[in-house]
Amino acid sequence: MTDFSMLDLAPTLLSALERTGKTEPTPIQARAIPPLLEGRDLMGLAQTGTGKTLAFGLPILHRLQGQGKPAPKSARALILAPTRELVQQIAASLTELAQGLPTSIVTVVGGASINRQTDRLVRGCDVLVATPGRLIDLLERKAVSLGQVQMLVLDEADQMLDLGFIHALRQIARHLPKQRQTMLFSATMPKDMSEIADTYLDRPVRVQVSPPGKTADKIAQAVHYVAQGDKAALLQEYLAKHPGELALVFGRTKHGSEKLSRLLDKWGFSVGAIHGNKSQGQRERTLAAFRAGETEVLVATDVAARGLDIPQVMHVYNFDLPNVPENYVHRIGRTARAGREGRAVAFCAPAEMADLRAIEKLTKQPIEVIGGEPWPERMAEEARTKARAATGQGRGGRPQGQKPKQGGGAKGKPDAAKAPGEAAKPARPRKPRPHPALAEAMAEERGQKPRRFRKKPVRRGGE
């Protein structure tokens, strides 16, 4: 299939595609759009940057034409995405195609005013693009109803699992009608994906256009072995060699990314940073400056690994290697977009040797070494052990030195002896705490600081 006109789309959409310069469908679009136009459920497996947004966006806009105004506080199509950046990217793509049509598109994300979002939903909308956490907030306020949703999209479903949103997805599913069309798109197929597929999809068509872990052919990949403490100076050297070219730098943590961006700013680079501690307004302004070329260096966590479509990005630097190898593929996919070429350089410290090997195993290709020498196995293991100790994590997943709780009564204490015939007092019900990973992911998506659960200090005799 070599032309969008062969896909039986509405003439208005064909005109919009021609106006935006899109004439030939990508493989995922050519294979996904026909069954979606027939009303089938679909599971699409494709890497980021392959055109998934139009693969589900065009069938949605095609079906919505001629339906009239939506009911108050309702949505006809719901698109769920894991990050604010991806939500904004999807909405921008659909808005461009829907220009001149009566189709209303509303976005709701954390970090922005929930009252303004509530006001926009009063009249209802045709397409609602949302992050799971903020959508649950609006459902709890009864600001939106999902009872009239005809089409549901789960985009980047594997990342939603990584961020701990599976419980949120279960909660959202209870508000959706059973009679609907569902589209699930993912770059990988983790084990938990089968649970989502069983919950949301009905006899889906499966479409896969590229094997998981495949990187773009036009990305020149390289690795530079460097001690952790020398990474910032090395990054300065690389950035200085390419003035005027946009560079995206990935860190592993919010604190580390913010610290690095401030250091680069001190060294005279025009730099911005986006991560979970930034408000939605800050993130949008930073991305706008980077897209316009006003900022040449963007330091980010994995919130920018997907959904960031800026063709001018020439360089991606993995300042910290990701501990999830699939994220490496998504990170470097931010360059070499729209037919251009790009370069990705990974900085590998001794503690990251295992992460590098996992990446090469996933991509099934060795990464070219352009600096330093591979760290010896013994040094790498010692560095990894020290890194685990610094974060307080032992091999069993518990903080080192913490013993498992003993059996017995509440808070791990042994049951107190009771007098004969004395009735036991009913235990006071305790409010269940959310899993720490889910709590942190939900708080970050809402633009809040995650709550930290700490044990009460133990008072010792004589103190």
Side-chain angles (χ1 to χ4, degrees), residues 17 51 133 209 226 287 308 312 315 321 392 415 436:
L17 289 167
V209 298
V226 57
L287 282 176
L308 193 64
Q312 293 81 10
H315 308 274
L321 287 181
D415 292 326

Side-chain angles (χ1 to χ4, degrees), residues 231-249 258-273 290 293-299 315 317 319 347:
K231 284 185 175 182
L234 181 62
L235 177 62
Q236 181 188 25
E237 293 180 15
Y238 274 106
L239 294 176
K241 292 178 182 177
H242 304 282
E245 298 179 359
L246 298 191
L248 185 54
V249 181
E258 182 66 23
K259 184 178 179 181
L260 178 60
S261 69
R262 291 178 180 177
L263 181 60
L264 293 176
D265 178 69
K266 183 178 178 181
W267 286 344
F269 294 98
S270 58
V271 60
F290 186 59
E294 299 169 4
T295 298
E296 294 181 357
V297 182
L298 180 64
V299 183
H315 308 274
Y317 296 101
F319 188 84
F347 295 172

Side-chain angles (χ1 to χ4, degrees), residues 141-418:
R141 292 187 175 205
K142 300 187 184 303
V144 64
S145 170
L146 304 181
Q148 296 187 29
V149 169
Q150 304 169 18
M151 294 160 286
L152 169 69
V153 178
L154 302 177
D155 195 19
E156 303 289 6
D158 53 346
Q159 190 182 14
M160 282 196 270
L161 291 180
D162 291 340
L163 293 176
F165 283 130
I166 188 168
H167 302 290
L169 294 177
R170 292 194 193 111
Q171 187 174 346
I172 292 170
R174 294 196 292 267
H175 294 267
L176 294 166
K178 292 183 178 180
Q179 297 298 323
R180 65 174 190 270
Q181 182 183 22
T182 304
M183 311 159 221
L184 185 151
F185 287 85
S186 179
T188 60
M189 274 296 291
K191 294 180 180 179
D192 291 342
M193 191 66 72
S194 60
E195 179 182 346
I196 292 184
D198 293 341
T199 302
Y200 283 92
L201 301 175
D202 179 25
R203 295 173 293 175
V205 176
R206 183 185 174 108
V207 174
Q208 180 172 348
V209 298
S210 61
K214 180 175 173 50
T215 57
D217 296 330
K218 293 188 177 182
I219 302 175
Q221 301 176 62
V223 60
H224 195 131
Y225 294 99
V226 57
Q228 186 66 35
D230 297 331
K231 284 185 175 182
L234 181 62
L235 177 62
Q236 181 188 25
E237 293 180 15
Y238 274 106
L239 294 176
K241 292 178 182 177
H242 304 282
E245 298 179 359
L246 298 191
L248 185 54
V249 181
F250 281 102
R252 183 175 291 186
T253 66
K254 294 175 284 188
H255 175 73
S257 298
E258 182 66 23
K259 184 178 179 181
L260 178 60
S261 69
R262 291 178 180 177
L263 181 60
L264 293 176
D265 178 69
K266 183 178 178 181
W267 286 344
F269 294 98
S270 58
V271 60
I274 60 171
H275 47 72
N277 284 346
K278 299 284 189 180
S279 70
Q280 180 62 22
Q282 289 174 319
R283 287 158 76 158
E284 289 179 0
R285 288 190 295 271
T286 300
L287 282 176
F290 186 59
R291 186 175 282 108
E294 299 169 4
T295 298
E296 294 181 357
V297 182
L298 180 64
V299 183
T301 56
D302 280 327
V303 298
R306 310 193 196 195
L308 193 64
D309 187 8
I310 302 177
Q312 293 81 10
V313 173
M314 297 292 296
H315 308 274
V316 171
Y317 296 101
N318 279 285
F319 188 84
D320 296 317
L321 287 181
N323 50 15
V324 178
E326 288 83 0
N327 286 351
Y328 171 83
V329 178
H330 297 301
R331 287 180 176 187
I332 69 173
R334 298 309 97 205
T335 187
R337 302 181 73 85
R340 305 189 183 196
E341 296 182 351
R343 183 173 179 81
V345 180
F347 295 172
C348 182
E352 297 171 308
M353 282 296 292
D355 298 322
L356 179 63
R357 287 195 294 268
I359 290 168
E360 291 181 328
K361 181 179 179 181
L362 174 71
T363 59
K364 298 179 181 178
Q365 62 181 16
I367 300 177
E368 177 189 2
V369 179
I370 59 171
E373 296 290 338
W375 303 105
E377 188 65 32
R378 182 177 178 180
M379 180 186 292
E381 183 57 32
E382 288 177 355
R384 195 170 180 84
T385 301
K386 288 181 180 179
R388 284 197 296 262
T391 57
Q393 293 295 322
R395 290 183 179 274
R398 284 190 306 272
Q400 290 185 344
Q402 178 179 323
K403 296 180 180 180
K405 291 184 179 180
Q406 304 296 324
K411 297 185 180 180
K413 298 178 181 178
D415 292 326
K418 300 178 178 63

Side-chain angles (χ1 to χ4, degrees), residues 47-85:
Q47 296 298 327
T48 180
T50 54
K52 288 182 291 183
T53 302
L54 291 191
F56 61 75
L58 287 170
I60 288 176
L61 296 177
H62 175 88
R63 182 172 172 181
L64 288 175
Q65 294 198 36
Q67 291 199 20
K69 293 183 179 180
K73 296 185 179 181
S74 71
R76 291 185 172 125
L78 172 63
I79 303 173
L80 292 176
T83 66
R84 309 174 201 173
E85 283 69 30

Side-chain angles (χ1 to χ4, degrees), residues 73 78 80 106-110 112-122 125 128-146 171-172 175 442 445-446:
K73 296 185 179 181
L78 172 63
L80 292 176
V106 172
T107 61
V108 293
V109 297
S113 170
I114 193 170
N115 293 326
R116 292 180 182 177
Q117 294 172 357
T118 300
D119 292 341
R120 287 200 296 268
L121 289 169
V122 169
C125 63
L128 177 60
V129 193
T131 49
R134 178 49 57 94
L135 180 59
I136 289 177
D137 292 339
L138 292 165
L139 288 170
E140 290 175 348
R141 292 187 175 205
K142 300 187 184 303
V144 64
S145 170
L146 304 181
Q171 187 174 346
I172 292 170
H175 294 267
M442 294 284 284
E445 193 273 306
R446 288 169 173 166

